[in-house]
Amino acid sequence: SMAIFRRGAYDAAPHLHPLSSARNDMLKPSDPRSPEAQAERSWFDLLPWLFILLGCVMRVLWPLDMEWKYDEQWMFDKALAIANGRTPWPWIGMASGVGLRNPGLSIWPFALIAHVTEDPVLATQLVQWINVLGVCGYALWVHKTWQPADRALGLWGTALYAVSPLSVLFSRKLWAQDLLIVFVLPWLWGQRARKRAWGAGLWGLCGALLGQVHMSGFFAAAALFAVTLWMDRGRFHVRAWLVGSV
């Protein structure tokens, strides 16, 4: 009976239980303002930046480890011929896998690179550093302009892209797809500012340029426009987007 009484007393007044204090301390959430919680949060906030740095290093590491197959050789030879004046400035580029020729913008940037260097290794290194600048630009854009509630999500997305094996591979080749990142950042920036005329126009312009660099860019531009149109119900500057796209 005494045991039952004591158990009832502890149930009625849990603070009398000899283990209640320790149990409450274990269940009590840590204060987010405590130095331990702030240090843990600071370390977690630093992680995406470390992955972004790792992705940048992977893009420029071992520059001699580069692909030099038919596509890369074709792109460099044509770009070099344009730079040396042996071939007129083209309006179409390399044929795609389905036989359609890509637009001329797919080769124009490489022609500009060929004006700088006639070494395919150095040309590939320029492509690598362009992609490094693109990754860093996207990370800084997220860090400086995104709302604090969304910033961590954007930085982790950038980190995942930075260390993705395929994104690293397609940042180290003399390939049109490797230069899509030049227009991806202003394209997404414009889409984010689509409620303003300049933002919608920039969004449309860069979406069209993505398709001019490589035809796959048209699919990305069309998908983002369709999703935005459905989510916003057309409440953005559609005319400005059309003007930019044209």
Side-chain angles (χ1 to χ4, degrees), residues 48-63 124-125 127-140 158-164 167-169 171-172 181:
W49 292 101
L50 294 177
F51 284 118
I52 291 170
L53 177 61
L54 176 62
C56 292
V57 172
M58 292 168 64
R59 278 162 172 75
V60 298
L61 198 62
W62 299 308
T124 304
Q125 285 183 289
V127 173
Q128 295 169 1
W129 281 105
I130 288 172
N131 278 269
V132 167
L133 291 177
V135 171
C136 294
Y138 189 83
L140 290 176
T158 307
L160 290 174
Y161 168 77
V163 297
S164 170
S167 69
V168 172
L169 173 64
S171 301
R172 301 171 54 94
I181 195 171

Side-chain angles (χ1 to χ4, degrees), residues 5-193:
F5 172 79
R6 289 177 179 175
R7 186 178 61 183
Y10 288 142
D11 291 341
H15 62 278
L16 298 177
H17 198 288
L19 298 179
S20 62
S21 178
R23 182 175 59 186
N24 290 337
D25 291 340
M26 289 189 298
L27 295 179
K28 183 169 57 177
S30 59
D31 187 355
R33 295 170 296 180
S34 66
E36 294 80 4
Q38 292 181 0
E40 183 179 355
R41 185 169 61 251
S42 299
W43 174 248
F44 184 78
D45 292 342
L46 186 62
L47 274 180
W49 292 101
L50 294 177
F51 284 118
I52 291 170
L53 177 61
L54 176 62
C56 292
V57 172
M58 292 168 64
R59 278 162 172 75
V60 298
L61 198 62
W62 299 308
L64 292 178
D65 184 15
M66 52 173 276
E67 292 193 39
W68 189 241
K69 297 182 291 190
Y70 173 81
D71 288 356
E72 292 80 14
Q73 294 180 29
W74 186 97
M75 187 67 74
F76 185 76
D77 290 343
K78 294 298 182 182
L80 200 59
I82 297 169
N84 293 334
R86 292 185 283 109
T87 299
W89 201 261
W91 291 104
I92 56 175
M94 179 186 294
S96 65
V98 296
L100 297 176
R101 300 290 293 271
N102 280 290
L105 189 55
S106 61
I107 192 173
W108 295 350
F110 296 100
L112 296 177
I113 291 176
H115 278 87
V116 178
T117 179
E118 297 185 357
D119 185 349
V121 177
L122 292 179
T124 304
Q125 285 183 289
L126 286 175
V127 173
Q128 295 169 1
W129 281 105
I130 288 172
N131 278 269
V132 167
L133 291 177
V135 171
C136 294
Y138 189 83
L140 290 176
W141 171 61
V142 170
H143 180 68
K144 294 295 185 179
T145 65
W146 283 36
Q147 296 296 326
D150 302 327
R151 195 171 298 154
L153 182 63
L155 287 175
W156 276 108
T158 307
L160 290 174
Y161 168 77
V163 297
S164 170
L166 285 179
S167 69
V168 172
L169 173 64
F170 295 123
S171 301
R172 301 171 54 94
K173 292 162 57 71
L174 296 177
W175 236 22
Q177 295 91 319
D178 291 39
L179 296 180
L180 287 173
I181 195 171
V182 174
F183 299 110
V184 166
L185 177 56
W187 175 56
L188 295 176
W189 186 14
Q191 192 271 347
R192 190 172 179 84

